[in-house]
Amino acid sequence: MRVYDIIAKKRDGYELSEEEISYLIRGYVKNEIPDYQMAAFLMAVYFQGMTEKETLFMTNEVAHSGDMADLSPIEGIKVDKHSTGGVGDKTTLIVAPIVASCGVKVAKMSGRGLGHTGGTVDKLESIPGYKTSLSREEFFKVVNETGLSVIGQSGNLTPADKKMYALRDVTATVDSIPLIAVSIMSKKLAAGSDCILLDVKTGSGAFMKSLEDSIALAEEMVKIGENAGRKTIALITDMDTPLGEAIGNSLEVKEAVDTLRGNGPKDLTTVCLHLAANMLVLGGVGSLEECLQKAETSLKDGSALERLIAMVEAQGGDSRVIRDTDCFEKAAYSHEVLARKDGIITSMDAQKCGIASVLLGAGRETKDSEVDFSAGIILHKKTGDFVCKGDVLATMYASKQEMFDAAEEEYYGAITIGNEKTERKPLLYARVSKEGVKRY
Ligand code: URA
């Protein structure tokens, strides 16, 4: 077999066999195939796409390029969740405890933030003492005892994806639906859960800016999951406007706790209840209606919050900051962003809001940047709100006063104030399952 022939076959639009895909991925991980040939292949996929069979073969091959987590020491059904990433997306901190409190296990590996999007691991590390790195045995013990555990990625999971992602990043081949589907689903298959709930974000702050692309990505991932024997559902949710009112690590943990107490922002609460309910459906708890009811009850009776506290304590975290979020360390400086004119907020560019929070120190410019856990933004006005000149649009938090200028300019660039009455976009656009696409 020659890599040259595989590249040419894909370039000309033919379907590759399982053997050809396996040869390519294995050779690339072993450094027998150079970056320039893999880059040419990825660009051929970018233009020609991949068939359902090819996507499944490639996902399996990438998943098996490293460790495959065996979660069998955890009793019961394990349901995983993945978000394609967004701004203010603290849903895992709310959804995982809800699901655990309704009797379905969540054994989850999460990522760190990069670019304008935040990451669950950073948010959890803002809790003093919380360990995001556990041994396998500790991880299993925490899930068996508390019903959930959220840790950072550990072990040698999907090395082929790590290598290919770095290459895609510098060869303009990230934006390919089959390649994104392979990348996400290989990690989910390797992470070992029985069922997978995908939160595919759509809009200005998301990877997929258009609804049609988001649905296409969701369909591709659901097919891969189901073909690999994992029950999979995807929800398409809005990321045109940041989710909730907090952006930044400890600010988002605080908002997650408020939501678990039933006092969270309406948009965040609604999205979390639907994500949790669909995870419960996957876990065999009941119909969607019944699962929504159960999820709501777990917020009302405090059982979901108890699960978060139990997990934090089991992973060495100081639960005082969860019981009383005023105990979180505060940023040294705050700054109010004022409306420059009267009008209605007609749009908010979520990506720019995310960049503003990175400029305050809440996120990473590069993989090795240090994160300031107390930095970030509280949004007081969002899309559809009427504002008068001088009203506080947002409060920013940072460790240095001089960080506010650039962040404020970025934030002003994110907000459009106009005259037309504007409704916020829907929070939930569609549900994609093996039965098909149901639009809301
Ligand atoms: N997230 C991933 O994990 N992979 C991609 O290719 C894109 C988003």
Side-chain angles (χ1 to χ4, degrees), residues 250-290:
S250 63
L251 297 175
E252 292 192 41
V253 175
K254 180 175 182 311
E255 185 169 80
V257 172
D258 290 343
T259 306
L260 287 169
R261 290 208 163 97
N263 305 323
K266 199 157 172 283
D267 61 346
L268 177 63
T269 306
T270 304
V271 169
C272 286
L273 287 173
H274 279 86
L275 293 171
N278 278 284
M279 288 173 78
L280 294 173
V281 168
L282 286 167
V285 170
S287 68
L288 190 52
E289 241 95 286
E290 288 163 347

Side-chain angles (χ1 to χ4, degrees), residues 82 161 165 168 174 179-180 183-184 187 207:
H82 179 86
D161 177 62
Y165 193 87
R168 286 167 58 209
V174 168
L179 293 179
I180 297 174
S183 168
I184 292 175
K187 288 183 284 240
F207 243 100

